[in-house]
Amino acid sequence: MNNKPKYNLFKNTKYALSGLFHVLKTENSFKLELLFAIFIIISIIVIDVSFTNKLILLVTGVLVLIVELLNSAIENVVDLVTKEYAPLAKTAKDIGSTAVMFCISLHIICWVMVILYA
């Protein structure tokens, strides 16, 4: 039996916005990255490079936010399962953080490449 509710654009949008508001209230890392994103978007608009390079910078910047959201979801699920120290719980959280770190590194590398070679 399928426990999944039927798709409803308005309800699903409401769920997504609820998740966004929750993250904005509870996740300092996301708030900081969102603040940086504002300055990054302004920089992308101002910088004199091709549309393609601007798009690469925008996509990698938004990707940082997406991966941070997924990392927060992983952390919430792990905390739901156990509040006690568990090696696998720590590993799951650490791997999520590593994904964010790789994503930020990719974004920085793209900026360096665009600035140096555009």
Side-chain angles (χ1 to χ4, degrees):
M1 182 166 150
N2 191 351
N3 175 356
K4 195 171 165 182
K6 290 185 179 181
Y7 180 81
N8 180 304
L9 177 65
F10 298 109
K11 282 185 181 179
N12 288 22
T13 301
K14 181 181 170 189
Y15 300 147
L17 291 174
S18 175
L20 177 61
F21 293 139
H22 176 77
V23 167
L24 287 171
K25 282 191 257 179
T26 62
E27 298 293 334
N28 289 329
S29 295
F30 184 78
K31 287 188 270 192
L32 184 62
E33 289 162 357
L34 194 58
L35 179 65
F36 281 130
I38 293 167
F39 293 108
I40 289 167
I41 290 170
I42 292 168
S43 300
I44 291 169
I45 291 168
V46 171
I47 193 171
D48 186 24
V49 295
S50 70
F51 176 77
T52 304
N53 284 336
K54 288 182 182 217
L55 190 59
I56 289 168
L57 296 175
L58 180 64
V59 167
T60 57
V62 171
L63 190 60
V64 170
L65 296 174
I66 293 168
V67 174
E68 183 63 51
L69 289 169
L70 294 172
N71 181 46
S72 295
I74 290 168
E75 289 179 353
N76 277 277
V77 169
V78 168
D79 289 344
L80 176 67
V81 172
T82 182
K83 293 285 185 191
E84 298 172 15
Y85 177 80
L88 286 176
K90 180 186 181 316
T91 300
K93 288 184 172 189
D94 290 350
I95 292 169
S97 294
T98 302
V100 174
M101 181 184 72
F102 277 19
C103 199
I104 291 171
S105 299
L106 173 66
H107 186 58
I108 291 170
I109 290 167
C110 287
W111 268 100
V112 169
M113 299 299 279
V114 165
I115 290 169
L116 292 179
Y117 298 107

